[in-house]
């Protein structure tokens, strides 16, 4: 939905009087879209001249000074700046050199319209910087202003589409280093203080403005005539030596690749990057000063090929943002997915060829499709582009639809257009909007001119609407027919390319087709009989596939015989969805898995299958089916554990064994391993693995459960892990009063501060083996959700609901969730979606089992 539609709906429903009130009323806290749009239309030629005096001690305040220059196109309204720290942090506000009669409300400074001029407004503000976004540590500090946190530190227009030039002056302790977006052009030490001035930046939004200061070491290198600087705090000199060449090389080769691909040189001057210990994200793409999490860039000597690939991908990802996100920026954070998906898309192109031993297509399949389907199949799904009324809710946009579905959709877009047309379109887009802002629809318009396909319709189905196509295959009169329909009855059509895997007696082949209308026909080769057709062969097509009966039956027998690991992965994903939709019996799915696992050598497929088996076992098998299959399952898992060729393969099997073991022999084996009476060759068990085993034994109510928990508590060397274990322990008690009290205590926010601890306990509380005793916690957990969101981290609500409902599969549990949703008609939409996402498998299992 675009902003204009939002405004129209306001105008249509409100009378004129209240519209005028809305215009003159004070803006809401945060950065509301309505305010951002008004400002984007009226503020122009914006620049900031900022100065910060940073004391060494993190407890002492940082004093700041801002000169904000702009032109105002609308003099009928006051100008609203964003600033959160409050009145006590505001020293002085002047406009045009005269004291301002400003007003301060929550999150905003309001400058009266009478003080404004159409050209050259100069607002000068002395302030004490808020610490919330400054990450102040003993020896260093760094800013992190994404998505709209700059105004927690200094006064500004904190929205992505008011780009500005930033000049910066820092006053730091002598002995510290500092880095910012611009290059250093003045440097003066006086006594124990150092003053540094940075040259003015190109136009950038507030979320990309950044600086870091502190005790850093600097490595410098030249590549292809450009100088790079690397700031870090690593004390292990050998580690630095071992890594730095690769880190410089990776930046230089990414930059080089991107300049060629985009046809636009790097536009932000100098190129520095800062490795920050325990940085919140993998990286953050501040132009001229990328920040990284140190541990993912400086690798240990034992680093695996996967870790090397991840490092190369992270560097290529952040470097890609210099064009996608930094040079051209989204208008509003509803399009944040766009910069992320392009950065990943470019990173894969840049990096994958350097790692020819890894199966990148399979990696793409298993890391994206199951997670995207797990949300997109539910009643709680949402479009890739979501509405966002206020930037203070930007955190809630993130989830599987953005991270996993969007990359799938982008790959489809490239296949539909062809790589050359996409590149050509992206070049035009970057050129047209450079140093400005654009929406997804701006890009679609450019790409639409390059294809005869109706890209607006394509984008509408894939990006603006929620859900996936239902695609049914059937074989009739020598042809394979695919029919697509919209499960939500909106008459949407999803255009996409598919690689159909056709199995024939002489072997399997991939047949590419494009589905544009509701039906597509694929003539079958007359000479031989087709054994099966898999619509998402090669792991390409996206949808809810209904196989024809013969293909389904064939795959349930012969899936393990498919030669290509990618095709096997794709077949597993499809059969799992068929099982969820009720077309494959859970017991058949489990039986097939147990037959396949001994032959499956590809670790990514083993992980995929084991994940599905555990879920099917607990959620979709009946109790008697579980009993029937238990010893066979444990035997397969233990064989895999013994035969596994790598320690990670063994770990994968062991964790599946731990989570599904139920037979007396199996549980006794687990107990012996925990007691160090039995050793699994090649499997290294760390402290947290032992703790997990102790909890798994306790939830199975083994006779010695209480003493096992006690002994485990005494084994801990690491105090943090011990504290976590002690926190979780009561949730495992065999006494229901103890578990009740533990859950009751979670209603106090102080007891929810360690979110991973809470989630682990909640998961065990609702373990399937205790399902009937834990149903009583479902309703109170739902009642708590709004508060959970208010007080917790952005991912906590989803994880809270998943941990609560993950162990349940009965009609009673499903009804509790349904009743809650029905009773709360006006419930916040994003939370409602979270409940419906988490409830999906419970609903499906309840319907099937009727239990
Ligand atoms: Zn990114």
């Amino acid at each position: 939905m675009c902003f204009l539609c939002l405004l129209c709906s306001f105008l249509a429903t409100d009378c004129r009087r209240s519209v005028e009130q809305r215009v003159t009323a004070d803006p809401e806290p945060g950065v509301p879209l309505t305010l951002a749009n008004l400002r984007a239309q009226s503020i122009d030629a914006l620049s900031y001249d900022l100065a910060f005096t940073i004391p060494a001690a993190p407890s002492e305040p940082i004093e700041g000074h801002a000169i904000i220059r702009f032109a105002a196109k609308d003099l009928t309204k006051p100008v609203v700046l964003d600033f959160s720290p409050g009145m006590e942090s505001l020293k002085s506000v002047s406009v045009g050199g005269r004291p301002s009669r400003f007003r301060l409300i929550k999150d905003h400074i309001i400058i009266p319209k009478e003080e404004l001029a159409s050209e050259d407004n100069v607002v000068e503000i002395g302030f004490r910087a808020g610490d919330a976004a400054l990450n102040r540590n003993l020896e260093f500090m760094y800013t992190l202003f994404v998505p709209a946190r700059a105004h927690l530190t200094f006064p500004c227009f904190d929205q992505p589409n008011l780009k500005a030039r930033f000049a910066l002056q820092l006053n730091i302790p002598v002995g510290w280093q500092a880095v910012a977006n611009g290059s250093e052009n003045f440097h003066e030490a006086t006594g124990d203080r150092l003053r540094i001035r940075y040259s003015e930046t190109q136009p950038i939004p507030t979320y990309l403005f950044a600086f870091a200061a502190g005790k850093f070491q600097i490595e410098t290198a030249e590549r292809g005539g450009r100088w790079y600087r690397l700031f870090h705090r690593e004390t292990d000199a050998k580690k630095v030596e071992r890594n730095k060449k690769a880190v410089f090389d990776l930046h230089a080769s990414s930059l080089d690749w991107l300049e060629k691909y985009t046809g636009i040189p790097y536009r932000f001057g100098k190129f520095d990057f800062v490795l920050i210990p325990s940085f919140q994200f993998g990286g953050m793409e501040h132009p001229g000063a990328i920040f990284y999490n140190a541990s993912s860039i400086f690798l240990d000597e034992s680093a695996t090929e996967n870790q090397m690939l991840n490092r190369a991908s992270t560097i290529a990802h952040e470097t890609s943002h210099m064009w996608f996100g930094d040079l051209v920026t989204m208008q509003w954070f509803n399009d944040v997915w766009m910069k992320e998906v392009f950065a990943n898309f470019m990173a894969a192109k840049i990096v994958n060829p350097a790692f020819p031993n890894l199966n990148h297509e399979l990696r793409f399949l298993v890391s994206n499709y199951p997670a995207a389907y797990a949300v997109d199949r539910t009643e709680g799904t949402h479009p890739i582009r979501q509405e966002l009324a206020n930037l203070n809710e930007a955190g809630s946009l993130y989830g599987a639809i953005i991270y996993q579905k969007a990359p799938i959709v982008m790959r489809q877009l490239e296949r539909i257009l062809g790589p050359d047309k996409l590149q050509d379109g992206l070049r035009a887009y970057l050129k047209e909007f450079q140093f400005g802002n654009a929406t997804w629809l701006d890009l679609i318009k450019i790409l639409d001119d390059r294809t005869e396909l109706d890209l607006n319709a394509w984008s509408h189905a894939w990006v603006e609407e929620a859900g996936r196509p239902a695609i049914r295959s059937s074989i009739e009169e020598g042809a394979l027919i695919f029919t697509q329909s919209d499960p939500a009855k909106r008459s949407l059509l999803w255009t996409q390319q598919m690689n159909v895997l056709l199995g024939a007696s002489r072997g399997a082949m991939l047949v590419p087709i494009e589905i544009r209308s509701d039906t597509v026909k694929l003539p079958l080769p007359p000479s031989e009989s087709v054994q099966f057709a898999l619509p998402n062969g090669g792991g390409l097509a996206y949808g809810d596939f209904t196989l024809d009966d013969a293909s389904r039956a064939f795959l349930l027998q012969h899936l393990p015989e498919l030669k290509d690991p990618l095709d096997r992965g794709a077949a597993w994903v499809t059969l799992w969805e068929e099982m969820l939709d009720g077309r494959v019996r859970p017991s058949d799915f489990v039986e097939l898995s147990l037959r396949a696992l001994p032959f499956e050598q590809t670790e990514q497929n083993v992980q995929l299958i084991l994940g599905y088996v555990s879920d099917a076992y607990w959620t979709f098998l009946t109790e008697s089916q579980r009993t029937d299959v238990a010893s066979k399952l444990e035997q397969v898992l233990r064989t895999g554990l013994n035969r596994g060729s790598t320690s990670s393969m063994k770990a994968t099997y062991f964790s599946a064994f731990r989570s599904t073991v139920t037979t007396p022999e199996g549980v006794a084996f687990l107990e012996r391993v925990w007691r160090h009476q039995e050793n699994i060759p090649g499997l290294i068990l760390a402290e947290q693995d032992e703790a997990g085993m102790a909890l798994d034994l306790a939830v199975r109510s083994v006779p010695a459960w209480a003493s096992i928990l006690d002994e485990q508590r005494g084994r801990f060397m690491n105090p943090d892990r011990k504290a976590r274990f002690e926190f979780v322990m009561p949730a495992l008690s065999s006494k229901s009063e103890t578990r009740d009290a533990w859950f009751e205590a979670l209603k106090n926010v102080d007891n929810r501060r360690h979110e991973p601890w809470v989630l682990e306990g909640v998961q065990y509380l609702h373990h399937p083996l205790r399902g009937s005793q834990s149903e009583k916690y479902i309703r109170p957990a739902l009642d708590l959700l709004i508060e959970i969101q208010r007080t917790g981290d952005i991912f906590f609500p989803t994880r809270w609901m998943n941990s609560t409902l993950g162990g349940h599969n009965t009609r009673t549990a499903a009804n509790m969730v349904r009743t809650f949703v029905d009773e709360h008609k006006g419930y916040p939409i994003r939370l409602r979606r979270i409940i419906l996402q988490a409830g999906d498998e419970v609903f499906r299992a309840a319907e099937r089992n009727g239990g």
Side-chain angles (χ1 to χ4, degrees):
M1 176 178 218
C2 71
F3 158 70
L4 281 177
C5 316
L6 202 72
L7 197 66
C8 298
S9 64
F10 275 138
L11 290 170
T13 49
D14 286 17
C15 69
R16 187 165 296 164
R17 190 178 53 82
S18 64
V19 170
E20 268 159 27
Q21 264 181 356
R22 185 180 311 283
V23 170
T24 51
D26 286 342
E28 308 211 326
V31 183
L33 177 60
T34 42
L35 171 66
N37 278 304
L38 285 174
R39 290 196 304 210
Q41 285 158 20
S42 66
I43 305 289
D44 199 14
L46 177 63
S47 73
Y48 297 90
D49 198 333
L50 298 167
F52 296 96
T53 300
I54 304 169
S59 54
E60 286 172 28
I62 292 179
E63 303 297 339
H65 188 263
I67 302 171
I68 307 169
R69 295 188 174 85
F70 58 91
K73 288 191 238 165
D74 180 356
L75 297 175
T76 67
K77 296 187 193 74
V79 155
V80 179
L81 282 158
D82 306 319
F83 185 63
S84 283
M87 191 53 113
E88 60 278 13
S89 301
L90 215 43
K91 302 283 170 58
S92 61
V93 180
S94 72
V95 179
R98 294 196 197 132
S100 168
R101 296 176 58 207
F102 70 96
R103 282 192 304 127
L104 188 80
I105 58 166
K106 186 163 167 37
D107 292 345
H108 304 292
I109 298 170
I110 301 181
I111 308 283
K113 60 183 182 204
E114 294 75 20
E115 298 177 4
L116 299 173
S118 53
E119 309 283 315
D120 304 333
N121 292 284
V122 181
V123 179
E124 203 165 341
I125 302 177
F127 60 95
R128 176 167 287 183
D131 276 342
L134 292 182
N135 305 284
R136 298 184 67 188
N137 297 279
L138 215 47
E139 292 189 329
F140 68 101
M141 58 80 58
Y142 60 93
T143 62
L144 188 55
F145 292 148
V146 67
R149 291 169 67 81
H151 74 282
L152 307 188
T153 296
F154 66 93
C156 58
F157 300 106
D158 210 355
Q159 61 189 72
N161 59 353
L162 277 176
K163 288 191 170 183
R165 294 181 183 273
F166 286 78
L168 174 67
Q169 183 174 302
L170 294 179
N171 184 320
I172 59 174
V174 158
W176 280 30
Q177 306 286 350
V179 55
N181 305 98
S183 58
E184 201 175 303
N185 61 11
F186 174 82
H187 194 113
E188 181 186 63
T190 325
D192 61 351
R193 305 293 300 176
L194 183 65
R195 208 152 56 85
I196 306 174
R197 209 158 41 218
Y198 295 91
S199 59
E200 200 175 56
T201 65
Q202 296 278 18
I204 56 172
T206 44
Y207 84 91
L208 291 174
F209 169 67
F211 59 90
K215 294 193 177 158
F216 285 101
Q217 302 192 52
I218 307 176
E219 310 286 334
T220 309
E222 186 264 345
R223 295 286 186 277
R226 180 187 299 282
W227 284 92
Y228 297 84
R229 289 193 302 168
L230 158 63
F231 288 66
H232 69 89
R233 289 178 48 77
E234 180 56 61
T235 48
D236 179 348
K238 278 193 193 137
K239 193 171 189 176
V240 178
E241 265 327 291
R242 204 168 54 233
N243 281 283
K244 71 178 188 190
K245 179 177 178 302
V247 175
F248 285 122
D249 285 348
L250 287 166
H251 279 97
S253 57
S254 294
L255 205 62
D256 200 37
W257 191 97
L258 282 151
E259 287 187 330
K260 289 200 181 92
Y261 183 90
T262 61
I264 299 176
Y266 173 68
R267 298 299 299 271
F268 295 99
K270 59 99 174 175
F271 199 112
D272 294 333
F273 38 95
V274 188
L275 308 198
I276 291 170
S278 301
F279 187 60
Q280 285 89 330
F281 314 133
M284 182 61 211
E285 67 264 23
H286 313 117
I290 301 177
F291 292 177
Y292 290 106
N293 188 358
S295 66
S296 56
I297 301 296
F298 276 171
L299 300 179
D300 287 323
E301 226 167 346
S302 59
T304 62
E305 193 167 22
N306 240 326
Q307 284 172 309
M308 310 257 232
L309 171 67
N310 287 341
R311 171 173 74 180
S313 302
T314 304
I315 289 173
H317 176 109
E318 302 308 335
T319 309
S320 302
H321 275 315
M322 299 301 125
W323 285 261
F324 298 95
D326 295 6
L327 186 62
V328 180
T329 307
M330 66 220 149
Q331 285 283 359
W332 188 239
F333 264 85
N334 64 330
D335 271 334
V336 67
W337 66 278
M338 213 175 143
K339 77 177 176 72
E340 292 313 318
V341 82
F342 274 119
N344 275 343
F345 186 73
M346 297 298 150
K349 284 182 182 296
I350 295 168
V351 167
N352 288 358
F355 293 84
N357 295 333
L358 298 176
N359 189 333
H360 297 287
E361 293 292 320
L362 181 59
R363 193 167 177 262
F364 188 87
L365 175 86
V366 299
S367 52
N368 290 312
Y369 283 73
Y373 286 167
V375 175
D376 222 10
R377 77 167 83 90
T378 74
E379 298 164 48
T381 191
H382 57 81
I384 290 176
R385 282 191 104 198
Q386 300 174 73
E387 294 159 35
L388 178 66
N390 193 315
L391 288 188
N392 62 14
E393 292 168 15
S396 65
L397 294 175
Y398 297 87
I401 296 298
I402 280 188
Y403 285 120
Q404 273 91 23
K405 183 180 178 183
I408 295 170
V409 170
M410 190 54 58
R411 188 170 68 162
Q412 274 294 339
L413 181 62
E414 186 185 37
R415 294 195 64 114
I416 287 175
L417 286 167
D420 294 345
K421 281 184 186 162
L422 179 64
Q423 180 181 6
D424 183 54
L426 287 175
R427 284 177 163 208
Y429 159 83
L430 290 169
K431 198 163 168 220
E432 180 173 348
F433 294 101
Q434 59 182 318
F435 296 119
N437 299 80
T439 66
W440 167 247
L441 299 177
D442 293 324
L443 173 62
I444 283 297
K445 196 164 161 287
I446 289 173
L447 296 175
D448 198 37
D449 293 342
R450 287 163 170 78
T451 171
E452 92 285 11
L453 181 82
D454 180 357
L455 269 195
N456 278 305
W458 175 89
S459 166
H460 182 72
W462 283 104
V463 178
E464 309 273 345
E465 293 281 347
R468 45 185 195 163
I471 299 177
R472 172 184 293 275
S473 47
S474 56
I475 297 178
E476 283 165 37
E477 292 164 7
L480 180 61
I481 298 165
F482 296 102
T483 318
Q484 71 160 313
S485 58
D486 177 3
K489 313 243 178 313
R490 295 158 296 188
S491 311
L492 287 181
L493 286 174
W494 288 260
T495 296
Q496 66 173 315
Q497 295 202 345
M498 315 189 346
N499 271 331
V500 182
L501 182 71
L502 280 183
S505 43
R506 272 192 293 166
M509 58 182 153
L510 280 178
V511 185
I513 59 163
E514 186 168 290
I515 180 162
R516 288 191 182 199
S517 54
D518 53 1
T519 314
V520 62
K521 241 182 184 180
L522 179 69
L524 290 173
S527 56
E528 51 191 337
S529 65
V530 167
Q531 294 166 324
F532 72 94
L534 183 68
N536 66 332
L540 180 61
Y542 183 90
D544 186 17
F545 299 104
T546 301
L547 300 175
D548 66 281
D549 293 342
S551 296
R552 182 182 309 115
F554 184 89
L555 287 172
L556 279 171
Q557 276 308 313
H558 301 286
L559 190 166
E561 295 156 31
L562 299 185
K563 290 233 161 45
D564 185 343
L566 177 59
D567 289 333
R568 290 201 297 279
W572 281 113
V573 172
T574 298
L575 285 183
W576 175 254
E577 298 294 313
E578 285 241 314
M579 194 282 290
L580 290 177
D581 286 346
R583 295 183 294 271
V584 167
R585 282 199 299 259
S587 53
D588 289 346
F589 185 93
V590 172
E591 195 269 333
L592 172 65
S593 308
L594 298 187
R595 261 192 305 117
L597 279 166
F599 300 99
E600 184 57 68
Q601 301 301 321
T602 307
E603 193 164 331
Q604 282 162 316
N605 279 335
V606 171
Q607 282 169 359
L608 181 69
I609 301 167
L610 288 178
Y612 284 151
V613 169
S614 307
D615 194 357
Y617 181 77
W618 287 119
T619 309
F620 294 98
L621 293 189
T622 63
E623 212 171 315
S624 72
Q625 286 173 327
R626 274 210 293 270
T627 315
D628 288 346
V629 80
S631 2
K632 172 78 182 161
L633 170 64
E634 290 170 22
Q635 185 204 323
V636 168
L637 297 181
R638 282 183 66 177
T639 309
L641 181 57
N642 291 330
R643 280 208 211 139
S645 51
T646 60
S647 61
S648 61
M649 187 79 123
K650 280 176 186 284
T652 303
Y653 269 107
F654 189 60
S655 112
F657 177 80
R658 257 177 52 192
S659 79
T660 52
V661 60
T662 50
T663 69
E665 305 77 52
V667 175
F669 168 71
L670 186 64
E671 191 169 335
R672 287 201 302 281
V673 175
W674 178 80
R675 289 189 187 284
H676 304 162
Q677 293 163 351
E678 188 138 4
N679 173 35
I680 304 166
L683 181 70
I684 302 137
L685 293 171
E687 201 168 55
Q688 62 264 41
D689 300 314
E690 294 202 347
M693 277 190 269
L695 298 173
D696 284 328
L697 289 166
V699 84
R700 284 161 176 81
S701 300
V702 296
W705 71 268
S707 68
I708 287 175
L709 291 182
D710 257 352
E711 192 185 325
Q712 179 62 45
R713 177 210 251 157
R715 281 187 190 178
F716 282 100
M717 306 298 284
N718 178 303
D720 298 335
R721 282 199 283 273
K722 181 175 186 173
R724 173 179 176 144
F725 189 80
E726 285 172 340
F727 178 88
V728 174
M729 265 173 74
L732 275 296
S733 172
S734 284
K735 299 190 189 89
S736 65
E737 313 86 75
T738 313
R739 300 201 299 269
D740 291 353
W742 185 85
F743 180 77
E744 197 57 33
L746 294 183
K747 293 180 182 169
N748 180 344
V749 63
D750 292 336
N751 296 321
R752 297 196 304 264
R753 269 184 304 119
H754 297 287
E755 294 174 358
W757 304 9
V758 172
L759 295 170
E760 183 170 34
V762 169
Q763 239 166 49
Y764 278 109
L765 195 71
H766 291 274
H767 193 282
L769 289 169
R770 296 200 166 148
S772 59
Q773 302 154 57
S774 58
E775 277 171 353
K776 64 181 171 189
Y777 307 124
I778 293 178
R779 176 65 195 229
L782 287 161
D783 287 333
L784 212 55
L785 187 59
I786 285 190
E787 204 196 307
I788 292 270
Q789 181 187 42
R790 199 175 52 77
T791 55
D793 181 57
I794 56 167
F795 293 116
F796 198 36
T798 298
R799 291 174 181 163
W800 170 260
M801 282 322 303
N802 286 343
S803 307
T804 298
L805 297 178
H808 292 280
N809 63 358
T810 63
R811 184 148 298 209
T812 323
N815 286 343
M816 282 177 177
V817 181
R818 288 273 182 226
T819 306
F820 181 88
V821 172
D822 290 346
E823 280 175 6
H824 294 78
K825 298 284 184 220
Y827 203 66
I829 179 73
R830 290 184 218 276
L831 289 184
R832 184 189 173 85
R833 286 175 183 156
I834 284 173
I835 296 172
L836 291 170
Q837 289 165 18
D840 183 70
E841 287 197 12
V842 190
F843 301 151
R844 287 172 195 266
E847 205 160 288
R848 168 169 296 158
N849 300 337

